[in-house]
Amino acid sequence: MGSASSIKLRVAVLISGRGSNLQALIDACNSADYPAKIICVISNKADAYGLERAKIAKIPTKIVNHKDFANREEFDAALDKALRECKAEFVCLAGFMRLLTGGFVRKWLGRIINIHPSLLPDFKGAHPHEDVIKSGAKKSGCTVHFVTENMDSGPTILQESVDILSGDTAETLAARVLKKEHTCYPAALRLIAEGKVSFIKK
Ligand code: GRF
């Protein structure tokens, strides 16, 4: 990160489900000139389809099931251990549906990013598309941002917008935003891996 070196940034991707953003990152990393590589995919759910995508791409996978731990601190400690074991330098959350503890976030601060399907700071939370439709907004989109201790609140790296069409439902909007996510996430990771964007710790 931050150097012109040809050494690729070692990225771990954390998922909980379908993994279409993971796939977009895998596809980007398949380009010889892409400055990052995915060294591990970690899921908190054993049946996450994203794990299949990783296996097809011959990327090592790990399951760290939150149900195996007494509390969030212990789960996050296991995640941290898994990340260190695979020598991850950077973490991408891609549909990872667990809230991370402050202790974990502080350890990875500036080295962990997320994608959220709204134009943050608007429509944080778990149901952004429904909330956007209800609000009567004219635009929505997606945001790649650094992860900080408050959910969906860290500094923005990149956003892409879509128009909201008459007759849009949460489902049709989600599908249109998802297409943007698949270009936005690899583009944001590229900016970081090339050292063009970084997190300034205050
Ligand atoms: C995406 O909409 C992402 O923005 C949100 O969760 C969804 C994950 O989808 N955080 P996928 O698993 O990447 O297909």
Side-chain angles (χ1 to χ4, degrees), residues 17-22 94-95 97 114-117 129 178 181-182:
R18 129 190 102 174
S20 69
N21 279 289
L22 165 66
M97 301 304 284
N114 180 45
I115 187 158
H116 180 77
H129 303 301
L178 192 64
E181 294 184 44
H182 296 163

Side-chain angles (χ1 to χ4, degrees), residues 59-166:
I59 297 168
T61 60
K62 274 183 191 165
I63 295 160
V64 184
N65 186 340
H66 58 281
K67 292 184 181 161
D68 293 341
F69 300 90
N71 53 46
R72 288 187 189 277
E73 284 72 19
E74 287 183 20
F75 171 64
D76 285 4
L79 271 185
D80 185 62
K81 184 166 174 272
L83 291 168
R84 286 170 201 283
E85 276 169 3
C86 66
K87 298 189 171 59
E89 298 172 307
F90 202 85
V91 179
C92 289
L93 305 183
F96 183 68
M97 301 304 284
R98 302 296 301 170
L99 284 177
L100 295 163
T101 57
F104 179 92
V105 171
R106 282 191 295 277
K107 267 189 201 159
W108 288 90
L109 192 63
R111 297 183 295 142
I112 180 166
I113 62 176
N114 180 45
I115 187 158
H116 180 77
S118 78
L119 294 174
L120 292 174
D122 296 337
F123 305 108
K124 297 174 183 174
H127 308 287
H129 303 301
E130 286 84 347
D131 297 343
V132 167
I133 298 283
K134 273 189 217 147
S135 77
K138 298 269 181 288
K139 281 188 184 293
S140 189
C142 60
T143 304
V144 181
H145 64 95
F146 286 103
V147 173
T148 54
E149 289 185 49
N150 295 325
M151 189 183 72
D152 300 334
S153 297
T156 293
I157 298 158
L158 207 56
Q159 292 185 308
E160 288 198 40
S161 67
V162 301
D163 290 331
I164 295 174
L165 308 178
S166 66

